[in-house]
Amino acid sequence: MARRKIIAGNWKMNMTPSQAVELINTLKPLVATEDVDVVFCVPAIDIIPAVEAVKGSNIEIGAENMYYEEKGAYTGEIAPDMLTDAGAKYVIIGHSERREYFAETNETVNKKVLKAFEHGLTPIICCGESLTQREQGITIDWIRQQIKIAFLDVTADQAKTAVIAYEPIWAIGTGKTATTEQAQEVCAAIRVCIGEIYDEATAEAIRIQYGGSVNAATAPELFAQPDIDGGLVGGAALKPDFGKIVNYK
């Protein structure tokens, strides 16, 4: 069975609520397709107006982060049921910027992944290596470790529905893109790793995105690779060009 492509925009810390609605209205006709799943992962404050704005379209809304506790004295954090009640369907977990600037670890990523599944949210689980790690030849080892810890205590049935986003840190927002061969090699290694943790069927079902300066020019070749099932798109997701990425064929 061919895996359905999933193309998600990660808006990062951009767009006020009113700007979000305006952007969605611009992008809606440009991303209208039945061929791929389209997700906009927006800042928490934009989720409610964004869910309203995408009604009747093919777009799903996701969050950029969440906390792994249900409720309590965690000032400034967002609980999973706040996301589901607001209408979010996906949540990005463990983005390299969260790891770098906000001290997220493989262990906190795992806690968030388990909590997302508990609440019926589809996690987009990020992994990726720095330039130093790539130059030292430890890319695959590093990413296998991220994946193995992220999926600790996750069942095979849950894992099949997860999305993994491979983003080489050195290619995020730098204009550098991993070569198609580099991207495919790591995504294939991730699939092998999932097969080792679970089984062949789970590895075949899970969707693996590539992210890192994806644009309209690079998307067709990247998404044609056997182990790349779409993209997690940063800067280009805030522009009309995102429509070309979604309609990459």
Side-chain angles (χ1 to χ4, degrees), residues 4 7-8 13 39 64 80 89 98 103 168 187 193 214 246-247:
R4 186 173 165 83
I7 300 171
M13 196 175 74
V39 185
E64 297 180 15
K89 297 284 194 286
R98 298 287 324 164
C187 290
C193 186
V214 175
V246 167
N247 295 287

Side-chain angles (χ1 to χ4, degrees), residues 111-122:
K111 285 181 180 182
K112 290 181 179 189
V113 167
L114 292 171
K115 193 54 77 172
F117 280 125
E118 208 178 298
H119 285 266
L121 287 159
T122 299

Side-chain angles (χ1 to χ4, degrees), residues 180-203:
T180 306
E181 293 72 27
Q182 285 171 327
Q184 163 59 23
E185 178 195 17
V186 177
C187 290
I190 291 168
R191 204 172 299 285
V192 167
C193 186
I194 293 291
E196 289 170 11
I197 301 169
Y198 301 102
D199 50 39
E200 191 65 27
T202 308

Side-chain angles (χ1 to χ4, degrees), residues 32-217:
T33 175
E34 291 177 7
D35 296 341
V36 303
D37 290 340
V38 180
V39 185
F40 292 172
C41 294
V42 305
I45 200 167
D46 294 347
I47 291 171
I48 290 172
V51 166
E52 196 60 36
V54 300
K55 277 186 178 160
S57 77
N58 60 310
I59 304 163
E60 295 283 15
I61 296 298
E64 297 180 15
N65 183 38
M66 64 165 218
Y67 201 50
Y68 51 75
E69 296 290 357
E70 299 285 335
K71 57 169 70 100
Y74 305 105
T75 301
E77 289 295 334
I78 308 277
D81 66 351
M82 293 176 184
L83 297 181
T84 54
D85 193 84
K89 297 284 194 286
Y90 292 81
V91 58
I92 298 173
I93 295 178
H95 191 279
S96 61
E97 289 155 4
R98 298 287 324 164
R99 295 176 192 254
E100 183 182 352
Y101 305 134
F102 304 103
E104 292 208 5
T105 64
N106 290 338
E107 288 72 21
T108 57
V109 166
N110 174 242
K111 285 181 180 182
K112 290 181 179 189
V113 167
L114 292 171
K115 193 54 77 172
F117 280 125
E118 208 178 298
H119 285 266
L121 287 159
T122 299
I124 299 175
I125 304 160
C126 298
C127 60
E129 83 285 10
S130 67
L131 191 55
T132 304
Q133 287 155 351
R134 177 162 280 276
E135 285 171 348
Q136 294 306 311
I138 61 165
T139 294
I140 304 295
D141 295 336
W142 180 264
I143 283 163
R144 282 172 61 86
Q145 184 178 350
Q146 288 182 319
I147 295 299
K148 287 193 170 187
I149 297 173
F151 281 86
L152 201 62
D153 298 326
V154 173
T155 68
D157 283 344
Q158 289 172 329
K160 282 176 183 158
T161 68
V163 178
I164 296 173
Y166 165 56
E167 295 199 304
I169 297 165
W170 48 271
I172 298 174
T174 59
K176 291 180 184 172
T177 312
T179 65
T180 306
E181 293 72 27
Q182 285 171 327
Q184 163 59 23
E185 178 195 17
V186 177
C187 290
I190 291 168
R191 204 172 299 285
V192 167
C193 186
I194 293 291
E196 289 170 11
I197 301 169
Y198 301 102
D199 50 39
E200 191 65 27
T202 308
E204 279 306 307
I206 201 163
R207 295 190 288 181
I208 304 173
Q209 298 173 314
Y210 170 75
S213 301
V214 175
N215 58 44

